[in-house]
Each structure stands twice: as C-alpha cells, then as structure tokens.
Amino acid sequence: MSTGNPLRVGVVVFDDAEELDVVGPYDVLAAWAAMSPLRPEVVTFSADGAGVRCAKGLRLVPDTSRDEVGPLHVVVHPGGRGTRLLAQDADHLAWVRTVRATTPLMTSVCTGALVYAAAGLLAGRPATTHWAALGELAALDPSVMIDTEARFVDDGDVVTSAGVSAGIDMALHLVSRLESPAASAAVRRQIQY
C-alpha cells in the first residue's frame, strides 16, 4: 500500500472522547515523528472534519475528515463516553469495517475497544479496555478473550489498551514495534514518562 508517506498514523477524534485517550497517544506519536528518520506523519480526523468537544470540555480542531484522511498504516481509536453512541452508529461502524480492510494496524485506547467489538474486529481475539467497561465489552461480543490485567494487548493487526493513561504505554509500544525499542526509549525520555 502506498500512502505518499513512509508511515501514516491517524487519530480519530469525536465528541465526548476522553481527553487523555486522544492527546496521550498523540503526544507520544508526534514526539516520535519529530525525531524518527522514518518521518511518520501523525494526523487527527473527525467524521466530518469539524471540531469536537471532548468529555471534560477540551475542544479539538482535527486536521481533516475521515473521508479525506487518505490511506493510513495505523488507526488510533480513543475511548470516552462518546464511544457508546459510536458503538451503535451504523455509519461509524461501517467506516471502521471499511478502513480495517486497508489499514494494517488498528489500535484502540480504553473504550475505543467497544467500537471495535461492535464492528466485529475483536471477535474471538484477546483484547482489553478500561476496567469499568469490561462487562460492556463482554456484552457486545462474548467471544472476545478479555484480558483484565494488561495495560495493552497486541494481537498482531489489532492492539487494544486499558483505560486512559494506558494509551501512552500502548503508543510507546507502537513506536517500539514500528521502529525499535531504542526509538521508544528516546521518545519516553523526550516526554519524560
């Protein structure tokens, strides 16, 4: 797949996304982009390209819309209260399934896993989510092999993380996986995590 860049990462933003679910991984990945010889591009996008208001009131203006974001190597789907609506939104679930067909690595933070489960991405796979949403995940898809202890679960082409700050750990893991453990350590040092 050619994306015009060596590596493109897209972070989905939406109303009532949990702030740290968005900006934690974004900060890790943007720090990596600034220092990596791979020159990854990290972009944010919403359904229609319009700004969003996160769960605690932070307003974000994305780079583009999901229809205009173009091919991606990695999708990061944050969690938050807004995922409950997205997990029932036929258009959003259809988009998740469509983008899954052309995106090598689908990742979620916190209750972003609920959206992936509702879209069928987690069927029969190991996954995790925020501790308070484990029951919701099981109800959406009883075939998901839920890991109640992991900070993140890497199942090859799908990576899920537990709640909120675990998204930072997952993003550092992505840097290690996509470039190297040394690159991840350099990013960790840069952001003083």
Side-chain angles (χ1 to χ4, degrees), residues 100 103-107 125 154-159 177:
R100 171 68 196 108
T103 304
L105 185 54
M106 300 291 287
T107 73
R125 303 181 81 144
D154 185 332
D155 192 39
D157 58 345
V158 176
V159 181
R177 180 176 155 174

Side-chain angles (χ1 to χ4, degrees), residues 18 29 36 50 71 83 93 107 114 147 151 157 160 165 167 173 181-182 191:
E18 183 63 36
L29 296 166
S36 174
T83 58
L93 296 176
T107 73
L114 301 179
D147 189 327
R151 294 285 286 169
D157 58 345
T160 56
S165 65
H173 169 72
I191 65 171

Side-chain angles (χ1 to χ4, degrees), residues 6-63:
L7 185 61
R8 294 191 75 233
V9 180
V11 181
V12 183
V13 298
F14 50 91
D15 286 330
D16 286 323
E18 183 63 36
E19 281 83 348
L20 195 57
D21 288 8
V22 176
V23 299
Y26 180 87
D27 194 57
V28 168
L29 296 166
W32 172 49
M35 58 190 354
S36 174
L38 298 178
R39 310 307 302 162
E41 178 186 12
V42 183
V43 298
T44 58
F45 61 98
S46 66
D48 60 3
V52 300
R53 181 186 286 268
C54 293
K56 294 179 180 78
L58 179 67
R59 293 177 187 224
L60 297 174
V61 178
D63 296 309

Side-chain angles (χ1 to χ4, degrees), residues 47-158:
D48 60 3
V52 300
R53 181 186 286 268
C54 293
K56 294 179 180 78
L58 179 67
R59 293 177 187 224
L60 297 174
V61 178
D63 296 309
T64 190
S65 71
R66 70 182 182 204
D67 290 338
E68 296 177 0
V69 71
L72 299 167
H73 290 93
V74 181
V75 168
V76 178
H77 198 301
R81 290 189 311 259
T83 58
R84 277 46 170 217
L85 290 176
L86 294 177
Q88 299 174 21
D89 181 327
D91 289 338
H92 188 75
L93 296 176
W95 172 80
V96 168
R97 290 182 200 104
T98 298
V99 77
R100 171 68 196 108
T102 59
T103 304
L105 185 54
M106 300 291 287
T107 73
S108 68
V109 181
C110 193
T111 58
L114 301 179
V115 175
Y116 284 2
L121 271 64
L122 302 182
R125 303 181 81 144
T128 194
T129 188
H130 189 281
W131 63 267
L134 294 170
E136 288 177 85
L137 181 58
L140 279 167
D141 185 343
S143 77
V144 176
M145 296 176 283
I146 299 173
D147 189 327
T148 62
E149 301 298 320
R151 294 285 286 169
F152 61 86
V153 174
D154 185 332
D155 192 39
D157 58 345
V158 176

